[in-house]
Amino acid sequence: MINNTFRKKSYVVRRFWLGILLLAFLPFLSPWRWPLLPKTKFVLKPTATDNTGSQFSKEDIATADSRSPMLHSPAITQLADGRTLAAWYGGSREGAPDVEIYGSFWSPQEGWTTPISLMSAARAQDELGRFILKLGNPVLFTDRSGRTWLFFGTVSAGGWSTSDIQVTFSDDNAASWVPSQHLTPAPYTHDGTLVKGEAFEYSDETIGLPVYRGYGVHSFSELLRIDRKGRVAAIYDMADGTGGGLQPVVAPLSEKHGVAFQRYFGDAPHRMLRGETNDAGATWSAPSKTGVPNPDSAIAALTLSDGRLLLAYNNSEDKRDNLTLAISSDEGLTWKNICVLETADERAEPTIEFSYPQMIRDSGGSIQIVYTVNRNAIRHVVFNEAWINSLK
Amino acid sequence: MTAIPQLIEYIGTWLAAAALLTFIFRIWKRTFSLRLAFTIICGVVPFIRYGGESVAGYVLGVYGSLSIVTIVLVGIKAAENLTLEKYITRDERGITYTLLAAAGLVLYSTSLGLTGFSAYRSGLGSPSFVVGLFGVAVLLTFLRLRLPALLIAFAVAAFQLRLLESVNLWDYLIDPLLFFFALVLSVNYWIRQLVKLVRNP
């Protein structure tokens, strides 16, 4: 009798718990709650016709002053209204609590505006509801809907290997920004994730954001897909278990096919890394060394209107004392140098560095590059494909 | 940060403070009314501000978001401290922490980029992960291990409601502090089991 009662009670209890479990899991059967992302395609930038002839210009956007003796890591995007927005971080020194992310707007007619603060540690702390010690690299991107995204690194404790990434966006050409949100690319906070390479867009309106993570001697790259609400919706591996690659840059070549290039932090020979995808970034080949030297420094790459690739890099294995442009007609397997944009005076001591380039191809077909000059100026170079072709 | 994840963070910090401070101040020696008053007063802790940030903000900034499982477990502990009742048997607790430690070992070791595989990526919409988790929860129910099954149900329900900032199911199930805590307690549990077995073969 007692045994039967116990069995009956146990049966009821078990059914109760199973009911609770079923209730919790049931929404997964509903398509609107199913978190699985559809397979998607790269959005290729439309080919603009530029009949203006060969053009080239160079100008400083910002230079060091008493408020910001150090300027570094510029990012660039073209806003929906046609203006260009550049952002960089500046302060007393890299990693100092007074570092802020500054921005400046540009149009060919009006030039660059006076830099304004886009983000500070205090503002990020207030918006994120969490303690923020300092700010790091920004990345800007404007999608087809006209929304401008600002991704940026933050540190709450320690150095860059404990960084996090945050995101904010603007729907009014960077006049106002929504409160920043925290991105979660790893199962722990302070995961050491940072951004550098330009973002790109997928056909389902998600954003592709190349990121990298480093723990002392090991670093590797990943590709995040960010949904319209600014949340990490998918994470793709770009390293295949290999270390040494960081600051990836993705260049889509067709709807499914693309290549990525990475800064190399590892054993000699110091060469830029290259990987390839045939499923719009969901899987990547293991990164392999190219013939392009890389002094453990950031690179920038983009696809030209005719499918060739353009690269901005430091042509050296150990110095950032030059900034060189190169062209590839075979998807980045081999490169031909076409122009030395900057080179340091050999007599200068210490050597001047030109680093952290970022490039976009704007709606008018012009290529715009921003980069750091010796960490005390942010420089902007504009040219078109006619200028590139004139360099043969 | 939106309002709901922030509220969850405050609740988590409150319950953790209640569980911890009760232990530090040995509050179980007091009357029920005093214990209740102390638990409620601990609700102020997350709002205490220092250097322009609240305690909850420091927890979030320095430690990161608490998982739903952590919040439920500290909630149970706070309730146990309040009522002086034990809601979880030692075995159930030991097996729960063993499961959490095993899950954490897989999750955190594969997220370091040493191989091309990362378990964390499966938390963003992998059908096999969801089906596997459901299977584990059903199995635990049939094994009468209600606590881990309940924790999974809570975490999944919170995930469906998107109560945290993250949309990764793993972030609802486990966090690093819970992992280390579970690792230590599960080792302690299995050593005790072994000692018991040796003494009473």
Side-chain angles (χ1 to χ4, degrees), chain A residues 123-180:
Chain A
R123 179 174 164 186
Q125 177 169 310
D126 187 45
E127 292 178 354
L128 294 158
R130 64 177 69 209
F131 176 66
I132 301 291
L133 188 64
K134 55 194 180 188
L135 301 181
N137 298 347
V139 162
L140 290 166
F141 180 70
T142 304
D143 65 26
R144 284 174 299 167
S145 73
R147 176 172 289 178
T148 301
W149 300 78
L150 169 63
F151 302 94
F152 59 99
T154 62
V155 170
S156 296
W160 296 129
S161 58
T162 58
S163 59
D164 297 297
I165 35 177
Q166 325 291 353
V167 60
T168 178
F169 57 80
S170 167
D171 286 321
D172 56 6
N173 295 306
S176 62
W177 300 84
V178 301
S180 307

Side-chain angles (χ1 to χ4, degrees), chain A residues 17 33 36 127 130 189-190, chain B residues 1 61-62 125 146 160 165:
Chain A
W17 287 112
R33 185 45 89 189
L36 191 65
E127 292 178 354
R130 64 177 69 209
T189 195
H190 313 324
Chain B
M1 193 180 193
V62 176
R146 285 176 302 166
Q160 308 289 9
E165 277 181 321

Side-chain angles (χ1 to χ4, degrees), chain A residues 273-352:
Chain A
L273 302 178
R274 177 188 179 277
E276 203 169 324
T277 179
N278 288 306
D279 51 12
T283 57
W284 291 86
S285 64
S288 56
K289 286 184 179 177
T290 62
V292 176
N294 185 261
D296 186 13
S297 69
I299 44 138
L302 57 71
T303 313
L304 295 171
S305 60
D306 58 5
R308 290 179 300 165
L309 291 166
L310 177 67
L311 177 74
Y313 76 110
N314 297 118
N315 187 8
S316 167
E317 282 202 24
D318 52 7
K319 286 179 186 168
R320 299 176 177 183
D321 62 354
N322 72 89
L323 192 65
T324 303
L325 293 179
I327 288 275
S328 172
S329 302
D330 56 6
E331 301 183 351
L333 291 169
T334 58
W335 295 88
K336 180 189 169 195
N337 289 340
I338 56 164
C339 171
V340 179
L341 268 186
E342 301 277 5
T343 186
D345 184 342
E346 285 177 6
R347 293 162 299 178
E349 196 61 49
T351 308
I352 292 173

